[in-house]
Amino acid sequence: MGKVIVVTSGKGGVGKTTSTAALGAALAQRNEKVVVVDFDVGLRNLDLVMGAERRVVYDLVNVIQGDAKLPQALIRDKRLETLFLLPASQTRDKDNLTPEGVERVINELKNHFDWVICDSPAGIERGATLAMRHADVAVVVTNPEVSSVRDSDRIIGLLDAKTLKAERGERMEKHLLLTRFDAGRAERGDMLKVDDVLEILSIPLLGIIPESTDVLRASNLGSPVTLADARCAPSLAYFEAARRLAGEQLPITIPGEKRGIFGKIFARRAA
Ligand SMILES: Nc1ncnc2c1ncn2[C@@H]1O[C@H](COP(=O)(O)OP(=O)(O)OP(=O)(O)O)[C@@H](O)[C@H]1O
Ligand SMILES: [Mg+2]
């Protein structure tokens, strides 16, 4: 049975779709079988970042409504054999996602893939709660600024209340992915420091992705950044985050700083 991950944030535009594509590709680059699922019905972004927008025939809503079978809607990546996309519809609205339909699709995907990575829409409404509902693990994407951290805090509350795991009284595994981090701006006080964010959210850190034009370049090429340039700084950070997601314990370095914060992270995990 595969693991279901939700990539969520509350606030919009913080890097959920970028991170879904990068983590999905990074796991597939390790030969794991991965499907990335676009829950942002109405906007449809993940297909662009994955470079598959011209190959979309059927989407998540079609499968839920029984207009298409799951294999008809899945798009295999042209670069990586083990990476698949289940796209969202650009035209239909979120009301077409039914809880029963989502459950059926996720269960079917879990039987075929090692990782089912759900790209959540922004906000705390229906689309976001449906995307997180069946998750085993949550990746909370946060930018180092007050409004993003505040919204992530609300999402953490929802993850502990509105998911199947929470309703069963089980602990939802949550990880913080700090994206668009700029060490210089954090040092000048224009952005929150890593410690400040960790202090407020107090969930274990999965990784720190630096702000970089490499991300935009990859997105314009229709490629997850880890595939476009495996050696640039954001890719290295995403590869490490993927390894942590798969259970490896690796030290985390703050971009722009040499000092590792390994001890601190694991002290928190143990707490
Ligand atoms: N590390 C980064 N460095 C520079 N730009 C980034 C980085 N991560 C994301 N971006 C840019 O930020 C913008 C928003 O990213 P993305 O679409 O992934 O966010 P999102 O959280 O999925 O947004 P939405 O809430 O609208 O779905 C994009 O233009 C993306 O290229
Ligand atoms: Mg998005």
Side-chain angles (χ1 to χ4, degrees):
M1 274 288 230
K3 235 183 193 176
V4 182
I5 313 276
V6 63
V7 179
T8 186
S9 70
K11 190 174 184 335
V14 293
K16 292 180 293 298
T17 300
T18 303
S19 301
T20 301
L23 290 173
L27 288 165
Q29 281 163 287
R30 295 160 51 104
N31 270 331
E32 315 234 1
K33 206 168 170 203
V34 180
V35 60
V36 289
V37 184
D38 194 347
F39 269 84
D40 210 346
V41 172
L43 284 174
R44 215 180 86 179
N45 244 325
L46 190 54
D47 56 336
L48 290 172
V49 177
M50 300 287 293
E53 73 275 18
R54 292 207 201 94
R55 299 172 62 209
V56 175
V57 181
Y58 294 112
D59 57 58
L60 175 61
V61 171
N62 290 135
V63 178
I64 284 178
Q65 295 185 330
D67 302 333
K69 295 244 184 304
L70 190 54
Q72 292 177 289
L74 288 173
I75 302 172
R76 187 198 286 263
D77 190 86
K78 287 207 162 138
R79 299 149 293 206
L80 283 176
E81 276 219 325
T82 58
L83 180 61
F84 290 76
L85 163 72
L86 180 55
S89 150
Q90 205 164 26
T91 47
R92 299 163 206 241
D93 74 71
K94 292 183 174 58
D95 292 340
N96 290 308
L97 290 182
T98 59
E100 304 73 32
V102 170
E103 180 170 9
R104 182 170 54 77
V105 172
I106 295 287
N107 284 338
E108 208 175 326
L109 289 172
K110 266 165 75 170
N111 285 330
H112 291 98
F113 291 91
D114 300 317
W115 300 91
V116 179
I117 309 183
C118 305
D119 181 19
S120 173
I124 53 168
E125 309 300 329
R126 190 184 156 81
T129 50
L130 275 175
M132 69 170 63
R133 179 129 188 98
H134 301 276
D136 300 304
V137 177
V139 172
V140 179
V141 179
T142 307
N143 292 164
E145 45 148 56
V146 174
S147 64
S148 172
V149 173
R150 193 171 46 211
D151 286 1
S152 289
D153 201 29
R154 294 187 72 188
I155 278 292
I156 290 170
L158 286 184
L159 288 164
D160 288 332
K162 296 262 179 169
T163 52
L164 272 182
K165 272 207 145 185
E167 285 172 11
R168 289 194 199 117
E170 294 168 24
R171 199 183 68 87
M172 165 65 95
E173 190 182 323
K174 300 176 286 289
H175 299 273
L176 175 68
L177 187 64
L178 196 59
T179 55
R180 311 202 68 168
F181 183 78
D182 182 325
R185 292 186 61 199
E187 211 40 61
R188 288 195 299 276
D190 298 341
M191 266 187 175
L192 293 176
K193 296 207 169 68
V194 176
D195 275 353
D196 299 333
V197 180
L198 285 174
E199 198 69 50
I200 301 167
L201 297 178
S202 62
I203 57 173
L205 191 54
L206 186 69
I208 305 171
I209 314 297
E211 169 79 21
S212 165
T213 50
D214 293 319
V215 172
L216 202 61
R217 201 171 307 129
S219 156
N220 287 337
L221 289 171
S223 173
V225 67
T226 55
L227 274 176
D229 178 358
R231 279 141 68 121
C232 68
S235 292
L236 296 176
Y238 275 121
F239 281 127
E240 284 193 6
R243 287 171 65 188
R244 289 187 196 99
L245 210 50
E248 282 184 54
Q249 298 207 339
L250 302 165
I252 292 184
T253 359
I254 302 180
E257 281 187 28
K258 293 212 171 62
R259 178 176 69 99
I261 52 170
F262 188 77
K264 201 177 283 178
I265 306 303
F266 289 103
R268 274 172 207 281
R269 267 180 206 253

